[in-house]
Amino acid sequence: MTELLTIESIPQLQEQVRALAKERDAVILAHNYQLPEVQDVADYVGDSLGLSQQAARSDKSVIAFCGVHFMAETASVLCPEKQVLIPDVDAGCSLADSITPGELRDWQAKHPNAQTVMYVNTTAEIKALTDYCVTSSNAVAVVEHIYREHGQDTEILFGPDMFLGAYVEKVTGRPMHVWDGECHVHAGIRPSDIETVRAENPGADFLIHPECGCSTSVMEYVAAGDVDASGVHMLSTGGMLQYAQEHKGDGSTVIMATEVGMMYPLQLAAPDVNFIAANEKASCRYMKMITLPKLRDCLRDMSGEVKVAPEIAAKARIPIDRMVSINP
Ligand code: 13P
Ligand code: SF4
């Protein structure tokens, strides 16, 4: 049965969680889209790759990963000696699910000379078949590196997010083979949302996650001179947080196009900035499956372990390490 949370019960639960984390020698990591009461109890809040790197740096033997399954897998790949727990093993991701290992193998068979570039929002099995991983903040730098290293005519299979792929193609000016996967939450942030919110907030800066369905159209507005390029920032969630830290005290209005959970860390980082969500309905049901009672139970019972098989983990680590060495 779902445990109801109240203003009174939240601090009590948070105390229990903190005590259990100490007892279990656990570090608690929370993605930027997590519920506020989960973010508040975490040791670190951040973006998907940053959290896994934080996991690897931690001296704790247990990692309680408040995020979705592929993120916990990435933590397991980067720190195989640690025990990684997720409070709900069913917290999946529509984007990671949009390509299967069989589909990727078939695609690669059709393009035997291509380099495979995959977003970190993929399963460990997909990463094990990949040459280079990317995140939303370094995809352009990694692809440009591939053209420099492997030749300007290199064929690239890019996946699974088609909006991120279109963004990279636009910036590099080169076509790739792009998988037509998407994140249902970000794809739902449409050009019409941006048009409405722009009309209501003229001159506001835009923070846009490149997975968004509106990212292509915003780049077109910029190209047409309709939107000032200096006010548009294509950022990962970690990049958005950095923007907030740098603009604290500005008292400006800023439009944010990503999952709405991001509003909480942004507002904490810059309380005087008026952040506006481009689409208030853009909420990820998988991220919200992680709750305080589930986090407490997983630490108490040491349940929800995510362990990537060693042979897959060894292969999956290669494209992550390559990415980090190009763009740390
Ligand atoms: P980042 O936090 O890496 O930007 O990823 C966004 C996302 O949608 C994760 O699920
Ligand atoms: Fe996956 Fe999208 Fe949810 Fe992120 S917001 S976890 S990409 S479904």
Side-chain angles (χ1 to χ4, degrees):
M1 207 178 64
T2 316
E3 199 170 320
L4 272 183
L5 292 187
T6 61
I7 297 286
E8 293 76 38
S9 68
I10 288 175
Q12 219 179 341
L13 264 168
Q14 286 173 325
E15 247 174 67
Q16 285 176 17
V17 165
R18 291 303 329 161
L20 281 164
K22 196 161 176 217
E23 206 176 296
R24 300 298 193 194
D25 190 37
V27 62
I28 302 175
L29 306 175
H31 188 266
N32 288 314
Y33 299 160
Q34 287 290 297
L35 293 164
E37 64 272 17
V38 173
Q39 294 196 26
D40 285 346
V41 86
D43 294 291
Y44 299 100
V45 177
D47 65 17
S48 52
L49 182 71
L51 288 178
S52 296
Q53 291 172 318
Q54 200 61 255
R57 275 195 290 271
S58 167
D59 58 1
K60 306 283 185 210
S61 55
V62 174
I63 295 153
F65 210 119
C66 301
V68 293
H69 199 271
F70 78 82
M71 296 180 184
E73 273 193 343
T74 310
S76 167
V77 166
L78 292 183
C79 23
E81 72 295 350
K82 293 181 183 165
Q83 195 171 3
V84 181
L85 308 177
I86 187 165
D88 190 328
V89 286
D90 294 326
C93 167
S94 62
L95 179 54
D97 284 347
S98 67
I99 189 162
T100 64
E103 286 170 332
L104 179 53
R105 275 198 207 91
D106 289 349
W107 203 26
Q108 289 171 324
K110 287 189 194 127
H111 304 275
N113 298 319
Q115 292 290 313
T116 300
V117 179
M118 288 282 143
Y119 194 18
V120 285
N121 295 32
T122 44
T123 62
E125 264 188 285
I126 291 291
K127 290 186 180 81
L129 297 169
T130 293
D131 296 305
Y132 292 85
C133 274
V134 295
T135 71
S136 41
S137 56
N138 62 25
V140 171
V142 171
V143 167
E144 281 175 342
H145 168 93
I146 295 172
Y147 287 128
R148 275 196 307 276
E149 281 296 299
H150 298 270
Q152 300 299 323
D153 300 328
T154 307
E155 252 187 296
I156 292 181
L157 304 182
F158 188 100
D161 189 77
M162 62 174 159
F163 295 109
L164 181 61
Y167 167 65
V168 173
E169 287 184 311
K170 188 123 191 159
V171 179
T172 60
R174 289 202 178 85
M176 304 181 293
H177 301 286
V178 178
W179 193 254
D180 70 351
E182 61 177 33
C183 150
H184 69 290
V185 181
H186 286 91
I189 305 177
R190 304 303 309 161
S192 56
D193 294 325
I194 291 293
E195 268 151 36
T196 310
V197 78
R198 262 185 77 207
E200 287 166 2
N201 301 279
D205 268 12
F206 278 114
L207 309 186
I208 301 181
H209 198 284
E211 284 175 30
C212 287
C214 62
S215 58
T216 317
S217 72
V218 171
M219 281 185 295
E220 276 158 13
Y221 296 147
V222 170
D226 191 19
V227 168
D228 181 6
S230 65
V232 176
H233 306 269
M234 291 282 177
L235 297 169
S236 67
T237 64
M240 289 186 184
L241 208 49
Q242 198 181 333
Y243 171 100
Q245 283 150 2
E246 286 164 4
H247 288 76
K248 184 179 171 187
D250 283 5
S252 52
T253 294
V254 177
I255 299 162
M256 177 223 75
T258 191
E259 205 269 354
V260 286
M262 192 67 215
M263 289 291 272
Y264 183 67
L266 287 177
Q267 215 64 80
L268 274 187
D272 64 301
V273 173
N274 177 28
F275 289 102
I276 295 173
N279 181 336
E280 285 173 359
K281 296 197 189 86
S283 175
C284 175
R285 67 176 182 278
Y286 302 113
M287 285 282 179
K288 307 316 183 219
M289 285 167 78
I290 309 299
T291 61
L292 270 184
K294 287 186 197 171
L295 174 57
R296 176 207 49 206
D297 295 353
C298 112
L299 282 167
R300 184 191 59 208
D301 307 337
M302 296 298 278
S303 55
E305 182 165 7
V306 176
K307 181 96 193 133
V308 177
E311 59 283 10
I312 302 277
K315 287 186 192 152
R317 196 176 171 130
I318 297 168
I320 301 175
D321 285 345
R322 275 194 192 131
M323 166 185 72
V324 173
S325 71
I326 297 164
N327 195 295

